[in-house]
Amino acid sequence: MNRLKFIAAVAVAVGFSSAQAETLPLPDGVISLASPEGGAMLFGAEANTDYFPLSIHFATQDNPAYCGPATIAMVLNALDVPRPASDMTLGLGMFDQENIFTPAAESVMPATAIVNPPYGMTINQFGGVLAAHNLDVEVVHAADSDLDTFRDAAITQLKDDDHFILVNYLRKAIGQEEGGHISPLGAYDEDTDRFLILDVTRYKYPPIWVEATALFDAMNTTDSANDGKTRGYVSVSR
């Protein structure tokens, strides 16, 4: 890891650590990024390239239903997608959880629908909003994949800051509270076979390292809002 990346990682980890006191207790089997063990895993991770652009643009979701929009805003900024025009920023503005809903995105999933029952976004709606920003998007339901395929795809993309991998999983399957959730992956540690989830619900949980098997099982759960299909993962690039 070069010096600039090390400094950036330390700065972000400190920020995560300062927020950790406000979060819910972590279940057994996961490791907080803000812990000494979690920090050491990041610095030693075999695939951690995506961590840096995502952490620079980290977003905490604006409300309990907005894990999808927060993740989308992070990824659009990390991919350096042309920003929306703004009189205040001379056309150099950033994406946020409101302006991601362009007319094309609204045609896929209106912002107002996210905060009404059944709340949030399915993985297909999430992928559709990303695609509405002219990105290359692949939505994979866990039932149509397997652990090894997911692991290989995720590692490849975590080593390349032009590609990102985003996960839709059931929180209670990894011992958290409680429903479906969306967040980006930031790194993979081969020694422990764990992925780092950059949880966008920062007020609830810190970023955590989760075993690959446990994460895949949490994705391989039925989403009743998505016609009974399983959750899964999304690969995205420009």
Side-chain angles (χ1 to χ4, degrees):
M1 179 182 300
N2 66 41
R3 186 171 183 271
L4 289 178
K5 283 188 174 183
F6 180 83
I7 292 171
V10 169
V12 174
V14 168
F16 285 139
S17 181
S18 66
Q20 189 179 17
E22 305 298 325
T23 60
L24 295 174
L26 289 177
D28 293 338
V30 304
I31 300 170
S32 171
L33 172 63
S35 68
E37 183 181 6
M41 288 168 64
L42 174 62
F43 299 141
E46 287 73 17
N48 62 10
T49 300
D50 281 1
Y51 172 83
F52 301 99
L54 288 171
S55 62
I56 289 169
H57 296 293
F58 186 86
T60 300
Q61 64 188 73
D62 288 343
N63 64 62
Y66 258 42
C67 56
T71 300
I72 291 168
M74 287 174 65
V75 170
L76 292 178
N77 290 323
L79 284 171
D80 200 27
V81 173
R83 272 63 166 183
S86 168
D87 292 337
M88 294 295 291
T89 59
L90 304 178
L92 300 175
M94 306 294 284
F95 282 101
D96 58 41
Q97 295 168 57
E98 294 182 3
N99 65 20
I100 65 166
F101 289 101
T102 61
E106 280 274 331
S107 70
V108 175
M109 182 66 176
T112 54
I114 298 175
V115 293
N116 289 303
Y119 302 108
M121 308 171 78
T122 68
I123 191 172
N124 294 94
Q125 293 164 341
F126 175 71
V129 172
L130 282 166
H133 288 275
N134 297 316
L135 297 175
D136 186 4
V137 177
E138 180 184 12
V139 175
V140 181
H141 293 273
D144 299 326
S145 184
D146 56 60
L147 173 60
D148 290 338
T149 300
F150 161 66
R151 184 194 287 110
D152 290 345
I155 291 171
T156 297
Q157 295 185 44
L158 288 165
K159 291 180 177 180
D160 177 0
D161 61 7
D162 291 328
H163 296 76
F164 294 92
I165 189 150
L166 322 167
V167 290
N168 175 211
Y169 60 100
L170 185 64
R171 279 195 184 278
K172 69 178 181 181
I174 59 171
Q176 292 184 331
E177 299 180 3
E178 158 179 340
H181 190 53
I182 295 171
S183 282
L185 295 183
Y188 172 76
D189 178 62
E190 184 177 353
D191 292 340
T192 60
D193 193 26
R194 289 177 183 266
F195 286 101
L196 175 63
I197 301 176
L198 295 177
D199 195 330
V200 296
T201 317
R202 188 170 177 179
Y203 55 84
K204 190 172 183 179
Y205 289 108
I208 56 170
W209 291 97
V210 181
E211 291 182 351
T213 300
L215 176 57
F216 186 81
D217 288 346
M219 293 189 294
N220 197 20
T221 52
T222 300
D223 184 355
S224 59
N226 199 22
D227 296 325
K229 296 179 181 178
T230 59
R231 299 173 174 88
Y233 56 98
V234 177
S235 301
V236 58
S237 62
R238 286 189 69 177

